[in-house]
Every structure is written in structure tokens, then in C-alpha cells.
Amino acid sequence: MSVDLAHIRQVMAEADCLYAEAEVDAAIDAVAAQINGELADRNPVVFCVMNGGLIFSGKLVPKLSFPLELSYLHATRYRNETSGGELFWKAKPEISFIDRDVLIVDDILDEGHTLGAIIDFCRHAGAAAVHTAVLVDKEHQRKARPDLKADYVGLSCVDRYVFGYGMDYKGYWRNAPGIYAVKGM
């Protein structure tokens, strides 16, 4: 598959910056403070949801001031497209979390199909409690489950196609230093 890099560059050039890097970093600091206050004595296993949660996890975890085990899982519905399909597991968790608290760290809570499936998986596999932290919660009424809410949220955003800080546009711009919305989307 050939990538039109000119288009990818144009998407960034025309994008609206919703949150600058300093605003995102301040939100991550606030999430870390909440988690430190609530999970410090719980001995959690922290799972980064790849690839989207990588940057958020990388900035969040060093701010957590308690012992924890860190691993990753990789489940996706997007496969570098702009809309999702069936859940696909690329890598299931390898650290045992039976009778342990689990903290799932992901980039965005959009409709929540992927996050909901990961939560269900962890509960079914024996986690004592499952907590979720997302960098961005998208504001709309299309959540997969009406009661699905992240325990820790950095920022909320309008219902547009967003990228940056781990979130991608067709596989690109996860490295964008802020949260951006695609023009017209």
C-alpha cells in the first residue's frame, strides 16, 4: 500500500490544535496526581494499550510514585484506518493479574468498543478491580455502553477526528506534540 505523504503532511498543516503540548502535559500531571491518591496502596498492574496509549503511558508512568508492574496489551479495531471494525488481539497481557488491581492506560475513549472489550477481558481473567485512564474522552452520545466512563480522564474533546500524543491519522502523527483535529472531520 502506497502512502500519500503529501496528504499526510497537508492534514497536519490544516489541522486545528485543540490542546497545545503544555496543556496536555498539565492534564497528564493531574491524572497522575489522582492515580497516586487512589491506587498507591493497591499494587496495580499497569497495562499500556498499544499503540495509542504508548505516549500517554510513557509520560504518565514516571509520575506514579508507588511500586507497580508495567506491561502492555495490543487490541485494535482500526488497523490504520479511520473507522473501526471487529476487535483484533495482537498481543494479550502476559503478566498475571489474577486478584490484582489493573490500570488500563489508553489514548482515547471514543465509542469505547475496544476499551470495553479490554475491561471485560481483564475482569473475566480474574482481576480484582479494573481501572481505566485515558488521555482524551470524546464528547458524544455514541458510547458502546451508556455507563462506560474512564476512571481517570486527562482532557475532553469535541466530536471530531483527533490525532497527536499517541492518537493517529491513518497510522501517522502519533508523534504530534499536542491534540489536533482533522479539518472537516
Side-chain angles (χ1 to χ4, degrees):
M1 176 176 117
S2 173
V3 173
D4 181 356
L5 283 178
H7 168 72
I8 298 296
R9 287 185 179 104
Q10 182 177 356
V11 164
M12 177 55 131
E14 296 176 350
D16 297 315
C17 181
L18 302 180
Y19 293 102
E21 185 173 14
E23 294 172 290
V24 179
D25 286 342
I28 293 170
D29 288 345
V31 168
Q34 280 187 283
I35 293 170
N36 280 326
E38 296 176 16
L39 298 183
D41 296 326
R42 296 278 194 57
N43 188 26
V45 177
V46 178
F47 287 112
C48 169
V49 179
M50 300 297 280
N51 285 323
L54 182 63
I55 293 174
F56 179 37
S57 293
K59 292 197 168 234
L60 174 69
V61 170
K63 297 172 187 294
L64 301 180
S65 58
F66 54 85
L68 57 84
E69 285 187 275
L70 177 64
S71 190
Y72 69 95
L73 53 84
H74 198 166
T76 185
R77 293 179 53 244
Y78 293 95
R79 297 195 191 180
N80 293 334
E81 300 298 328
T82 56
S83 62
E86 183 179 330
L87 185 70
F88 176 72
W89 283 97
K90 291 185 174 184
K92 289 186 178 177
E94 294 188 3
I95 291 179
S96 174
F97 51 84
I98 294 172
D99 296 326
R100 301 265 308 270
D101 277 49
V102 170
L103 173 62
I104 300 165
V105 180
D106 203 0
D107 55 355
I108 188 167
L109 175 54
D110 190 345
E111 293 180 8
H113 293 283
T114 303
L115 189 59
I118 292 168
I119 292 166
D120 291 346
F121 173 84
C122 291
R123 287 180 177 152
H124 181 73
V130 180
H131 312 272
T132 54
V134 297
L135 180 58
V136 173
D137 185 2
K138 194 181 281 189
E139 298 170 350
H140 58 64
Q141 300 301 313
R142 298 183 316 275
K143 300 293 188 211
R145 303 176 193 168
D147 63 336
L148 182 61
K149 297 193 180 346
D151 299 299
Y152 310 101
V153 176
L155 303 161
S156 61
C157 79
V158 295
D159 190 13
R160 293 183 62 191
Y161 194 95
V162 294
F163 65 90
Y165 260 76
M167 296 169 283
D168 72 297
Y169 175 77
K170 295 186 178 182
Y172 287 83
W173 292 122
R174 290 184 192 277
N175 58 313
I179 308 294
Y180 296 84
V182 176
K183 181 181 179 181
M185 292 180 79

